[in-house]
């Protein structure tokens, strides 16, 4: 089953063409890792998916419902697609628990006690049971990112998007966050992950999409992409990051 | 690489990089917390110390013969009148500062929206009210009122009352212009990532304004707001010129009556007393804001420290 379908997504900022008509399928329960050089449009593609950026052209289908049309509220789409950012973006003025509760209370309109229960459950799931009342400034980067994951998970999303979730983290924190993501993948969550963590991609991804210059130039299983890349561009990039 | 690397969750989530100090104690509702912060002995002790210092100091001076018995008796003689002015000032401040905050909030917010019209109106407001001297504004408002009301059927007493309050509103609009800029700066200080995160969670823009942006903007805005409040409190003395018998007005009256008592120090004593009550008035307001600041302090949003 295809959870998310992108067809011919195009986007330019002024004269800079960032996406040149991207087609992409993410199947339910699968993990898709998107990799490629900086500035190739990976993050823009992810942001188009949950309509944080409106694509200039193309179609986005979530469970075969076209979501980038006037009659669909972006809020509705975003409640079904969770997103985790490179810079965490936790709400600075709220404790970890309140961070998770906020969207439940104000987006899903859940009662306070129910939201609280859900927050405790999700924070437990990412191993932060003892840090629930800490403020973001009191948490390490890895802990903050795990709170951000819990916050997105609390909405019970159908798809999770990760935009370079470990790029701002040290080795130890990276390991923490990847561990949580790995477990999530094994539990059957549909995920699209922009990442340069080759170890994670090899171990967890079902599909790898290699992005360059606003297009997916190669897509396949980790074995295909890492062992037998077809394109010259893919080959040179893989060699550089594996070295 | 041989085989996939092992990604198991580490057993202890405690990271050495993180501070382990818990956040401030947060029991009771928000407003109870604010009230507790303001009405603690700690907060009011400063006023008490100030008053004690003045009393002890005066007594010492009296004993030394520097401040004679006549001067002290004059200070006590005018006290009821000065207190009357103090209460009037307190009443005026309680009207025009909240009014200015309301106006400042709306205008400041308007200046941060996408709408060109709202931004233009906001800028025009700020440009106008920041460049007008408060004295001129007060005269303007109350005189326009007087002219407009001249031929109406309202009795002169009501007409006079309306012109008096128009002056107060003018002062509120004046401080509103300054407060708008403080609020705008506060809203702009909240990183774009915060709104983006709220968007990504499916929270509507209006709701994220009230639950994410404004709570942070408000914390950043508090110290400059306290600064503006303490400044505009003293502007209440402008209202004397249109007929408000407030603190400075009381001062003028008693100081000018001092000739009856045949010594120039009477005026000095009067103004000393007026200054003391202005201090108390400002202290009450700034201390209240400090209490609010403390009650809402959160690690990571500590621009407001001290």
């Amino acid at each position: 089953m295809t959870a998310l379908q992108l067809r011919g997504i195009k986007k330019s900022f002024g004269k800079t063409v960032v996406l040149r008509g991207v087609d992409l399928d993410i199947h339910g329960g699968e993990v898709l890792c998107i990799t490629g050089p900086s500035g190739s449009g990976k993050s823009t593609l992810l942001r188009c998916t949950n309509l944080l950026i409106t694509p200039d052209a193309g179609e986005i289908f979530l469970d075969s419902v076209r979501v980038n049309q006037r009659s669909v509220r972006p809020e509705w789409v975003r409640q079904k697609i969770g997103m985790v950012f490179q810079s965490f973006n936790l709400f600075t003025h709220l404790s970890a628990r309140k961070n998770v509760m906020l969207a439940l209370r104000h987006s899903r309109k859940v009662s306070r006690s129910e939201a609280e229960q859900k927050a405790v459950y999700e924070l437990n799931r990412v191993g932060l049971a003892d840090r629930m009342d800490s403020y973001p400034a009191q948490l390490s980067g890895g802990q903050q990112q795990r709170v951000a994951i819990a916050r997105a998970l609390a909405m019970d999303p159908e798809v999770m998007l990760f935009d370079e979730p470990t790029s701002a983290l040290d080795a130890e924190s990276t390991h923490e966050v990847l561990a949580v993501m790995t477990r999530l993948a094994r539990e059957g969550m549909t995920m699209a992950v922009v990442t340069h963590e080759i170890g994670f991609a090899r171990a967890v991804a079902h599909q790898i999409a290699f992005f360059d210059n606003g297009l997916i130039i190669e897509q396949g299983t980790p074995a295909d992409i890492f062992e037998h890349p077809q394109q010259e561009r893919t080959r040179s990039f893989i060699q550089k990051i594996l070295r | 690489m041989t085989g996939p690397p092992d990604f198991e969750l580490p057993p202890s989530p405690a990271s050495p990089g993180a501070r382990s100090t818990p956040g401030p104690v947060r029991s009771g509702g928000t407003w109870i917390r604010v009230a507790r912060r303001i009405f603690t002995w700690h907060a009011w002790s400063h006023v008490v110390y100030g008053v004690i210092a003045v009393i002890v100091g005066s007594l010492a001076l009296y004993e030394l013969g520097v401040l004679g018995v006549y001067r002290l008796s004059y200070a006590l003689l005018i006290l009821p009148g000065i207190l009357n002015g103090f209460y009037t000032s307190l009443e005026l401040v309680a009207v025009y500062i909240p009014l200015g905050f309301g106006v400042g909030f709306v205008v400041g917010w308007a200046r941060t929206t996408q709408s060109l019209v709202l931004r233009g109106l906001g800028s025009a407001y700020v440009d106008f009210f920041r460049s007008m001297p408060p004295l001129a504004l007060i005269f303007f408002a109350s005189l326009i009122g007087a002219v407009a009301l001249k031929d109406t059927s309202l009795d002169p007493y009501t007409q006079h009352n309306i012109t008096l309050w128009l002056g107060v509103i003018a002062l509120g609009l004046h401080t509103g212009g300054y407060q708008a800029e403080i609020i705008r700066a506060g809203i702009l200080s909240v990183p774009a990532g915060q709104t983006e995160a709220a968007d990504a969670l499916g929270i509507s823009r209006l709701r994220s304004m009230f639950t994410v942006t404004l709570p942070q903007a408000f914390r950043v805005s508090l110290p400059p707001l306290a600064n503006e409040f303490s400044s505009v409190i003293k502007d209440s003395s402008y209202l004397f010129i249109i007929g408000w018998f407030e603190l400075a007005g009381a001062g003028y009256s008693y100081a000018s009556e001092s000739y009856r008592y045949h010594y120039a120090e009477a005026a000095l004593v009067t103004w000393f007393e007026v200054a003391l009550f202005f201090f108390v008035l400002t202290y009450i307001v700034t201390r209240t804001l400090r209490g609010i600041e403390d009650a809402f302090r959160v690690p990571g949003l500590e621009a407001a420290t001290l």
Side-chain angles (χ1 to χ4, degrees):
Chain A
M1 194 193 78
T2 314
L4 201 61
Q5 264 182 309
L6 307 179
R7 288 287 171 269
I9 303 295
K10 290 183 182 165
K11 180 72 194 177
S12 331
F13 294 107
K15 283 190 179 151
T16 321
V17 182
V18 182
L19 299 175
R20 303 169 190 272
V22 179
D23 296 329
L24 191 64
D25 286 349
I26 301 169
H27 299 284
E30 284 198 1
V31 177
L32 171 80
C33 281
I34 304 170
T35 191
S38 306
S40 57
K42 309 180 296 286
S43 291
T44 308
L45 183 72
L46 226 50
R47 281 173 157 72
C48 280
T49 310
N50 65 351
L51 305 177
L52 283 181
I53 293 176
T54 317
D56 297 337
E59 294 165 329
I60 302 162
F61 297 95
L62 178 64
D63 287 334
S64 39
V65 178
R66 177 157 179 210
V67 295
N68 60 332
Q69 56 177 334
R70 260 175 200 286
S71 58
V72 176
R73 285 168 50 244
E75 283 85 7
W76 179 83
V77 183
R78 292 169 189 157
Q79 282 172 24
K80 292 178 174 291
I81 303 181
M83 185 159 191
V84 174
F85 299 89
Q86 179 177 355
S87 49
F88 329 135
N89 292 353
L90 289 183
F91 304 126
T92 323
H93 62 302
L94 297 175
S95 64
R97 186 204 308 256
K98 292 257 173 79
N99 257 282
V100 181
M101 284 169 67
L102 187 86
L104 291 169
R105 300 267 292 132
H106 294 286
S107 174
R108 287 250 306 258
K109 319 270 156 90
V110 170
S111 78
R112 184 187 287 270
S113 61
E114 240 178 286
E116 177 118 32
Q117 273 181 4
K118 182 79 174 157
V120 170
Y121 170 77
E122 294 296 349
L123 286 167
N124 261 312
R125 233 172 122 184
V126 297
L128 287 171
D130 55 339
R131 306 289 298 185
M132 287 200 231
D133 293 311
S134 300
Y135 286 90
Q138 296 168 322
L139 298 172
S140 71
Q143 290 171 330
Q144 288 191 53
Q145 193 61 295
R146 280 147 65 198
V147 175
I149 293 173
R151 181 173 71 172
L153 285 177
M155 302 287 288
D156 296 323
E158 291 172 17
V159 181
M160 285 280 283
L161 309 176
F162 294 83
D163 186 9
E164 303 203 26
T166 58
S167 296
L169 299 175
D170 59 46
E172 196 188 0
S173 293
T174 298
H175 185 83
E176 261 168 54
V177 170
L178 291 180
V180 169
M181 289 169 61
T182 304
R183 202 165 62 188
L184 210 56
R186 301 230 167 103
E187 286 169 12
M189 175 59 78
T190 312
M191 292 158 63
V193 187
V194 170
T195 187
H196 298 300
E197 294 291 337
I198 296 308
F200 171 80
R202 257 184 215 264
V204 179
H206 299 88
Q207 288 280 312
I208 307 253
F210 184 78
F211 224 85
D212 188 35
N213 203 15
L215 276 176
I216 292 171
I217 60 169
E218 193 163 356
Q219 188 175 351
T221 61
D224 291 342
I225 300 289
F226 292 123
E227 317 302 342
H228 316 288
Q230 301 298 312
Q231 302 282 335
E232 180 48 43
R233 188 75 190 79
T234 319
R235 204 170 299 144
S236 70
F237 183 77
I238 301 280
Q239 273 171 3
K240 267 181 229 153
I241 54 175
L242 283 184
R243 194 178 299 147
Chain B
M1 266 192 193
T2 56
D6 176 34
F7 284 113
E8 284 313 311
L9 195 60
S12 165
S15 159
R19 280 189 288 153
S20 58
T21 42
V25 181
R26 264 144 208 283
S27 58
T30 305
W31 294 110
I32 295 173
R33 249 166 42 224
V34 175
R36 200 181 290 145
R37 287 293 187 152
I38 298 167
F39 297 104
T40 46
W41 165 248
H42 169 72
W44 290 102
S45 59
H46 299 267
V47 177
V48 175
Y49 292 149
V51 171
I52 290 172
V54 169
I55 293 171
V56 171
S58 314
L59 284 175
L61 287 171
Y62 173 69
E63 287 294 324
L64 287 168
V66 177
L67 186 73
V69 66
Y70 300 113
R71 282 85 167 160
L72 189 65
S73 64
Y74 187 72
L76 290 173
L77 179 76
I78 65 170
L79 188 60
I82 296 285
L83 269 177
N84 191 27
F86 174 74
Y87 292 136
T88 307
S89 286
L90 200 60
E91 187 189 340
L92 293 173
V93 163
V95 171
Y96 71 74
I97 287 189
L99 172 71
F101 184 71
V103 170
F105 179 74
V106 172
V107 175
W109 185 356
R111 291 198 71 186
T112 62
T113 55
Q114 305 279 318
S115 157
L116 215 63
V117 179
L118 284 177
R119 283 208 318 258
L121 287 173
S123 307
Y125 183 94
V126 170
D127 284 344
F128 177 76
F129 281 97
R130 281 202 313 189
S131 45
M132 283 288 127
L135 191 66
L137 277 176
I138 290 164
F139 264 134
F140 216 57
S142 89
L143 290 177
I144 285 177
V147 171
L149 292 166
K150 198 175 58 180
D151 298 325
T152 58
S153 57
L154 291 169
D155 64 285
Y157 179 74
T158 315
Q159 286 190 17
H160 182 61
N161 256 337
I162 292 174
T163 57
L164 283 180
W165 283 107
L166 280 173
V168 180
I169 291 170
L171 201 47
L173 296 180
H174 158 79
T175 177
Y178 286 88
Q179 292 185 42
E181 284 299 90
I182 294 169
I183 307 269
R184 181 172 78 102
I187 291 175
L188 293 181
S189 78
V190 179
Q194 298 282 310
T195 321
E196 198 179 33
D199 281 350
L201 288 163
I203 302 171
S204 74
R205 272 295 166 95
L206 191 68
R207 269 178 184 271
S208 75
M209 189 71 193
F210 281 100
T211 56
V212 176
T213 308
L214 287 178
Q216 297 185 40
F218 159 74
R219 285 175 170 86
V220 176
S221 297
L222 273 173
L225 274 181
N227 194 31
E228 166 61 16
F229 287 3
S230 62
S231 157
V232 83
I233 281 171
K234 270 95 73 182
D235 290 351
S236 67
S237 53
Y238 285 129
L239 292 167
F240 173 58
I241 52 145
I242 57 163
W244 280 102
F245 192 75
E246 43 65 69
L247 194 44
Y252 279 118
S253 311
Y254 286 117
S256 61
E257 272 185 36
S258 61
Y259 71 92
R260 290 191 195 172
Y261 298 89
H262 303 294
Y263 54 90
E265 290 93 325
L268 187 66
V269 170
T270 308
W271 284 116
F272 175 74
E273 206 164 310
V274 168
L276 183 71
F277 278 104
F278 261 116
F279 172 80
V280 171
L281 185 59
T282 313
Y283 199 91
I284 290 170
V285 173
T286 51
R287 195 63 234 184
T288 304
L289 257 75
R290 269 285 284 282
I292 295 174
E293 217 179 294
D294 287 349
F296 285 96
R297 179 162 295 155
V298 147
L301 275 173
E302 279 144 339
T305 312
L306 256 172

